[in-house]
């Protein structure tokens, strides 16, 4: 496991007020963090590993640009067909004794991925997955789940599908800084795109999303190319450190240095909780993380 090092990241503009208030009034009890799951979608390309990033409106604790994901839902506890590693196994992988919580995170990850991209990790058995999820009918199902008019369990049951939890890989656990007004406790997973599926934006909600080459994004981290392409008021003119939360940026670094999907997914990871801390460095507020440095171009001092 790479040695952890002190990393400094830019403090997002939308968190400056909360950070200053936290310092001025003294540290208080942090607001409760909402449980969330996020999925790093992967595919191989001739130029290296690619992942799906999308724009998130507002001030999401997951970042302005982020991997598919969001808050867990009460319906994530619903009974549904299950293939692959058991909830007990997932609890062990995620370093928790709470088997129900581990199950909820896995279901939430698959649901959020389906809502936001149409990628559905489900099939009738362990040897196959559902295909052609880009149809109008599937889009209606995605919108219904996103609007909580239907549950994922209902969508799967109607079509005779079961969750393919074997298609997920547990990554890391990131928590929003203590001083933030909106906080997430996010479990990140990884998955490759099943045969016959392709990510698409959710009707009425998706604004911008696309496959990005991890190495190229990291190489251009000090440029505004990605933010300019996203073309939103709070992305144009911004470098990578002001678009992504530290956790996403560090995961992109690891993707950039990985030799393809299989290498990235087979990397041995220990259950670990990462959480940026607020520090003042040369009169400037920044986020500090103890994390491995895997590629050149450390975002330290990035403003």
């Amino acid at each position: 496991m790479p040695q952890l090092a002190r990393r400094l990241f830019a403090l997002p503009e939308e968190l400056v007020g909360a950070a200053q208030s936290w310092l001025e009034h003294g540290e208080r009890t942090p607001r409760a963090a909402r449980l969330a799951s996020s999925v790093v979608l992967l595919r191989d390309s001739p130029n290296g590993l690619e992942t799906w990033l999308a724009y998130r409106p507002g001030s999401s604790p997951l970042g302005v640009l982020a991997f598919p994901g969001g808050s867990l839902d009460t319906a994530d506890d619903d009974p549904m067909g299950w293939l692959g590693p058991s909830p007990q196994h997932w609890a062990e992988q995620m370093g928790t004794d709470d088997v129900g919580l581990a199950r909820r995170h896995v279901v939430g990850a698959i649901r959020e991925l389906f809502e936001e991209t149409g990628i559905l990790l489900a099939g009738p058995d362990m040897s196959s997955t559902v295909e052609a999820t880009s149809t109008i009918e599937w889009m209606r199902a995605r919108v219904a789940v996103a609007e909580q008019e239907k549950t994922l369990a209902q969508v799967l049951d109607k079509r005779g599908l079961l969750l393919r939890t074997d298609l997920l890989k547990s990554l890391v656990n990131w928590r929003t800084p203590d001083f933030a007004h909106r906080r997430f406790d996010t479990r990140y997973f990884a998955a490759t795109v099943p045969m016959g599926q392709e990510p698409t934006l959710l009707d009425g909600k998706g604004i911008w999303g696309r496959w990005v080459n991890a190495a190229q994004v990291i190489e251009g981290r000090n440029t505004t190319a990605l933010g300019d392409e996203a073309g939103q008021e709070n992305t144009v003119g911004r470098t990578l450190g002001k678009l992504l939360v530290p956790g996403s940026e560090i995961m992109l670094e690891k993707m950039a240095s990985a030799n393809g999907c299989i290498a990235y997914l087979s990397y041995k990871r220990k259950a670990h909780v990462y959480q940026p801390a607020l520090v003042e460095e040369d009169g400037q507020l920044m986020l500090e993380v103890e994390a491995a440095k895997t590629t050149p171009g450390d975002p330290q001092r990035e403003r």
Side-chain angles (χ1 to χ4, degrees):
M1 188 168 178
Q3 190 173 358
L4 297 182
R6 180 175 182 256
R7 302 282 303 275
L8 291 175
F9 293 82
L11 180 66
E13 288 177 21
E14 60 271 16
L15 291 183
V16 171
Q20 290 173 338
S21 176
W22 182 264
L23 293 176
E24 288 167 10
H25 297 97
E27 294 189 8
R28 293 156 292 171
T29 303
R31 298 191 182 197
R34 296 179 69 173
L35 298 174
S37 287
S38 181
V39 181
V40 175
L41 205 54
L42 301 167
R43 74 176 184 186
D44 287 316
S45 83
N47 298 316
L49 208 52
E50 293 185 344
T51 189
W52 181 267
L53 286 180
Y55 175 75
R56 305 190 77 86
S59 54
S60 169
L62 293 178
V64 181
L65 299 184
F67 307 113
S71 301
L72 301 191
D73 192 308
T74 53
D76 294 332
D77 283 324
D78 289 356
M80 60 187 82
W82 186 285
L83 298 170
S86 68
Q88 178 65 49
H89 172 87
W90 280 107
E92 292 167 5
Q93 290 290 304
M94 294 161 65
T96 178
D97 295 327
D98 192 333
V99 177
L101 176 65
R103 180 191 182 280
R104 202 174 308 136
H105 273 293
V106 170
V107 174
I110 293 175
R111 174 184 52 75
E112 284 286 342
L113 182 65
F114 174 60
E115 287 178 26
E116 295 192 12
T117 70
I119 300 299
L120 182 55
L121 306 182
D125 51 54
M126 284 288 283
S127 63
S128 59
T129 50
V130 61
E131 296 189 23
T133 55
S134 299
T135 63
I136 292 173
E137 183 193 355
W138 275 112
M139 182 61 78
R140 287 199 194 105
R142 287 170 61 188
V143 170
V145 173
E147 299 291 340
Q148 298 185 329
E149 294 167 0
K150 288 184 180 176
T151 65
L152 179 62
Q154 289 170 335
V155 169
L156 296 179
D157 188 57
K158 177 183 176 182
R159 295 162 176 82
L161 300 171
L162 301 91
L163 293 182
R164 287 285 307 274
T165 72
D166 57 308
L167 300 180
L168 276 181
K169 169 83 173 183
S170 181
L171 296 181
V172 290
N173 182 190
W174 277 88
R175 290 179 184 157
T176 309
D178 283 345
F179 64 86
H181 295 319
R182 291 181 66 211
R183 301 184 61 238
F184 274 176
D185 183 343
T186 309
R187 297 280 183 169
Y188 284 88
F189 300 85
T192 55
V193 179
M195 188 80 70
Q197 297 190 36
E198 185 62 32
T200 57
L201 295 176
L202 179 63
D203 275 358
K205 285 196 173 181
I207 294 173
W208 178 92
R210 77 167 178 90
W211 289 105
V212 299
N213 180 284
Q216 290 173 5
V217 169
I218 291 300
E219 187 179 341
R221 72 191 329 160
N222 294 318
T223 74
T224 63
L226 190 61
D228 292 345
E229 187 196 319
Q232 304 303 308
E233 188 179 351
N234 59 343
T235 66
V236 172
R238 292 191 174 193
T239 54
L240 195 67
K242 294 184 178 179
L243 298 171
L244 271 60
V245 292
S248 296
E249 194 168 349
I250 290 170
M251 281 185 273
L252 272 173
E253 289 178 1
K254 293 188 177 180
M255 285 177 237
S257 63
N259 188 23
C261 285
I262 292 175
Y264 181 81
L265 292 171
S266 59
Y267 180 80
K268 294 285 187 288
R269 296 171 178 86
K270 292 182 181 178
H272 185 78
V273 177
Y274 293 93
Q275 183 174 19
L278 182 64
V279 295
E280 190 170 335
E281 198 75 15
D282 299 332
Q284 182 175 357
L285 293 178
M286 302 190 81
L287 295 176
E288 178 187 81
V289 178
E290 290 285 315
K293 182 173 182 297
T294 53
T295 61
D298 190 335
Q300 289 203 82
R301 308 297 178 190
E302 188 180 39
R303 288 168 165 77

